[in-house]
Amino acid sequence: MVTRAEQRERTRRTLVAESRRLFAAKGYAAVGLAEIVRESGVTKGALYHHFEGKADLFRAVLDEVQQEVAGRVVAAAEAAGDPWARFKDGCAAFVTASADPEIQRIMLIDGPAVLGWNDWRAMDEGASAKHLAEALTDLVESGTIPDQPIAPLTHLLSGAMNEAALWLAQTAAPGDLTATLAALSRLLESLRAP
């Protein structure tokens, strides 16, 4: 027998999953609440029981997407050997994951537009920039990269990788992801201490 708590959680998961599918396919602006509840097979009341509205639901979808990307980055980094390889593999995993059109649409295009730049940046800080800053801190402390302020370097690299993912969304040329990853590797190598 399914408990009420389990049913509520199932309803919430369904709303997030269907909204994610719709937002990824059509974009936030083109999806209405009526379509979300119809595709989810729930009532509008059930939606409002879990979320304040469409923007709140989008925030939950974005959080899920950011956590998945962060999970891919961490998994790639942990599979590598030394701290430098973990850093480079984590950055490459971020760009690769962000090249997925669904992730681009939700995380990089609609995210800042729907939530506003400051709220989006705060979520990005919590999801991926935090891991990047930690990796850079470890590399500075080990002497792998020269001693320098971590915050500006984190923002510069994060911005470069986000921009690369957005550019990949605009191009359809074969080999662009491979070329982007090679350019990222060269950029990161330039940070290493001589």
Side-chain angles (χ1 to χ4, degrees), residues 82-113:
D82 62 89
W84 181 251
R86 285 194 296 273
F87 170 66
K88 285 188 68 177
D89 288 358
C91 290
F94 176 83
V95 171
T96 301
S98 298
D100 179 311
E102 175 183 310
I103 290 172
Q104 289 168 342
R105 164 65 81 175
I106 292 170
M107 190 172 80
L108 299 172
I109 297 169
D110 284 346

Side-chain angles (χ1 to χ4, degrees), residues 168-182:
L168 287 167
Q170 304 288 324
T171 180
D176 280 343
L177 177 58
T178 302
T180 300
L181 292 174

Side-chain angles (χ1 to χ4, degrees), residues 28-29 58 62 105-117 120:
Y28 177 85
F58 179 82
L62 175 59
R105 164 65 81 175
I106 292 170
M107 190 172 80
L108 299 172
I109 297 169
D110 284 346
V114 172
L115 301 180
W117 183 252
W120 180 81

Side-chain angles (χ1 to χ4, degrees), residues 50-64:
H50 293 281
F51 302 99
E52 293 177 12
K54 187 171 127 178
D56 191 38
L57 179 54
F58 179 82
R59 183 182 295 274
V61 169
L62 175 59
D63 182 58
E64 180 180 274

